[in-house]
Amino acid sequence: QFPTAPGANVASGGVQKGTDQLPAPGTQSIVLLSTGTTNNTTSAAIDLWTDFTGVNAGTLSFDYATIQNNLTGGGDNRPGSLRVYGSPDRGATFTELTNVLNFTNNLVLAGSKANIPLPATFNNNANTLIRFYYYNGETGGTNGSRPKIAIDNVVITAVATTPCVAPTSPATNLTF
């Protein structure tokens, strides 16, 4: 069980269970925060293990929103960045699927990443994972706290590898 992120102003980094973050009250998103004064020095991640045995991998979609984390009372301009990776071998190798870079406090950012194609190496593969990776920065920022990011409504699609079989007999009339 994840620690609950009650809203803004939680200084500890890591993975948290969000409350009432996206998209409406009552949801429970995944919240990530990486802290530290120097960019590119710490991170937090969550892995979603997936099994595409017998199917072809389709797409990934999710919603995201920054959560203000103003611990110093304003002027917080240290950035956070989110990268999403796919791995066909449970973490031995990774390919970047999408990203949301250099978001900061005092700038509300929310959106969706929709229908991101999953790698063909996921097809008929039981050993895949998708990693949501937040790290402290990319470039810029010198003051204050870093923002959190909430991830919600994760949807993964797959397509059967064999087509539907046509019926062997015609449909019958149904009378009531």
Side-chain angles (χ1 to χ4, degrees):
Q1 178 151 6
F2 301 119
T4 299
N9 304 327
V10 175
S12 61
V15 180
Q16 303 163 349
K17 178 177 73 173
T19 57
D20 297 337
Q21 305 296 340
L22 284 173
T27 64
Q28 292 186 347
S29 59
I30 297 167
V31 176
L32 300 173
L33 173 63
S34 181
T35 60
T37 57
T38 304
N39 286 342
N40 304 306
T41 58
T42 64
S43 61
I46 187 165
D47 290 346
L48 175 61
W49 288 29
T50 52
D51 181 350
F52 291 98
T53 301
V55 297
N56 288 332
T59 62
L60 166 68
S61 300
F62 63 94
D63 296 332
Y64 63 90
T66 57
I67 300 172
Q68 301 308 297
N69 191 36
N70 303 60
L71 294 174
T72 61
D76 300 308
N77 68 358
R78 286 194 173 101
S81 291
L82 175 71
R83 293 186 185 267
V84 181
Y85 296 99
S87 173
D89 47 23
R90 292 283 162 106
T93 60
F94 286 95
T95 300
E96 186 171 346
L97 303 175
T98 191
N99 60 56
V100 181
L101 302 177
N102 278 327
F103 46 88
T104 61
N105 279 314
N106 305 315
L107 175 65
V108 176
L109 176 70
S112 297
K113 293 288 186 169
N115 300 317
I116 301 156
L118 294 172
T121 54
F122 279 27
N123 295 348
N124 197 34
N125 186 339
N127 296 309
T128 62
L129 71 81
I130 296 170
R131 175 171 289 171
F132 292 88
Y133 178 82
Y134 176 109
Y135 59 101
N136 65 345
E138 184 71 22
T139 59
T142 56
N143 296 313
S145 303
R146 297 184 189 274
K148 299 178 196 181
I149 193 161
I151 301 163
D152 206 345
N153 302 317
V154 176
V155 176
I156 298 170
T157 65
V159 180
T161 56
T162 56
C164 294
V165 177
T168 56
S169 60
T172 59
N173 290 334
L174 180 61
T175 308
F176 289 100

